[in-house]
Amino acid sequence: DIVLTQSPGTLSLSPGERATLSCRASQRVSSNYLAWYQQKPGQAPRLLIYGASSRATGIPDRFSGSGSGTDFTLTISRLEPEDFAVYYCQRYGSSPPWTFGQGTKVEIK
Amino acid sequence: EVQLVESGGGLVQPGRSLRLSCAASGFTFDDSAMHWVRQTPGKGLEWVSGISWNGGIIGYADSVRGRFAISRDNAKNSLYLQMNRLKPEDTALYYCAKDSSSWYSGRFDPWGQGTLVTVSS
């Protein structure tokens, strides 16, 4: 199974700052089938990015994804108050099991 | 609006069974693959099981294979998870999720609000 390792575990930033979250895979992620989800307390995860860099429907353009192969990045260009949450990366595609990273918490500094 | 509403969770003793249900609305259910994903504070998010639109493709995580069974009833717009021989490590919040692509891809969007399963004596 592909193991996804996210870093850092926690990111302490102020509103308006830029957030850069990393996701590293233990093996190449084929076709860049890498997704990012946002989860706020008491809520289910929400899909933000798929295909490593495509925004899901309704996701603001301050969220962007990049990367390929084994190294992927989620960037939030300017943090809004509602962006403080936990973010997960996930490998999807034709071959389960589909695995998640352990999450990065973006907290208010 | 797409809605997924899980039910059937609760407290159950180890070794017993439980059946989860997910009622879907707001989209063409029989066009969509569906999944169960669980979440625990310790292990994070774990894909549990998935089923293609017609049930022709079914998959399970190694941790539940042979104990859990996924099924769907397209006439009722419903997804199910039959959980047998439950273990304490199955304790989790179980989410129903729609596959957001046009195939059985394991890309989840949206998710329901979850139903809590607690396995304890």
Side-chain angles (χ1 to χ4, degrees):
Chain A
D1 298 353
I2 294 180
V3 176
L4 299 177
T5 302
Q6 293 185 240
S7 61
T10 302
L11 202 49
S12 298
L13 295 168
S14 301
E17 289 194 294
R18 181 184 188 91
T20 303
L21 287 67
S22 174
C23 176
R24 177 161 290 179
S26 61
Q27 303 170 44
R28 180 182 162 275
V29 176
S30 62
S31 303
N32 290 336
Y33 285 148
L34 193 285
W36 290 91
Y37 298 83
Q38 176 194 66
Q39 187 176 33
K40 298 179 182 179
Q43 297 184 16
R46 176 176 72 146
L47 179 67
L48 296 177
I49 301 286
Y50 64 94
S53 61
S54 297
R55 274 186 300 277
T57 303
I59 301 304
D61 60 7
R62 63 181 181 273
F63 290 92
S64 63
S66 62
S68 64
T70 60
D71 288 293
F72 299 88
T73 300
L74 174 70
T75 301
I76 311 171
S77 58
R78 289 179 57 85
L79 283 164
E80 298 287 341
E82 62 267 27
D83 299 337
F84 292 91
V86 181
Y87 293 84
Y88 297 94
C89 60
Q90 182 231 351
R91 179 200 78 86
Y92 63 98
S94 59
S95 303
W98 298 298
T99 52
F100 293 85
Q102 82 280 18
T104 290
K105 181 179 183 180
V106 178
E107 66 175 21
I108 299 176
K109 187 174 181 179
Chain B
E1 180 195 2
V2 174
Q3 276 205 314
L4 299 169
V5 180
E6 303 93 336
S7 61
L11 174 63
V12 61
Q13 292 179 327
R16 304 298 289 265
S17 299
L18 209 56
R19 189 194 197 205
L20 305 184
S21 299
C22 172
S25 60
F27 65 102
T28 306
F29 184 73
D30 55 13
D31 273 354
S32 300
M34 299 292 297
H35 303 270
W36 291 98
V37 180
R38 67 186 181 185
Q39 185 171 30
T40 63
K43 291 189 68 177
L45 290 163
E46 180 186 21
W47 170 78
V48 173
S49 181
I51 185 168
S52 62
W53 67 275
N54 63 351
I57 301 173
I58 284 177
Y60 298 100
D62 287 345
S63 57
V64 306
R65 186 175 292 112
R67 299 187 298 121
F68 290 12
I70 192 171
S71 62
R72 63 189 297 159
D73 185 336
N74 287 346
K76 295 183 177 180
N77 286 357
S78 293
L79 177 72
Y80 306 101
L81 186 67
Q82 178 67 42
M83 304 186 295
N84 300 324
R85 301 197 309 276
L86 281 159
K87 304 176 180 180
E89 52 263 41
D90 295 319
T91 295
L93 184 62
Y94 284 75
Y95 292 104
C96 165
K98 177 183 175 296
D99 201 299
S100 70
S101 77
S102 60
W103 47 292
Y104 180 70
S105 75
R107 192 175 86 199
F108 312 122
D109 184 52
W111 305 47
Q113 284 304 301
T115 186
L116 183 62
V117 173
T118 303
V119 184
S120 175
S121 53

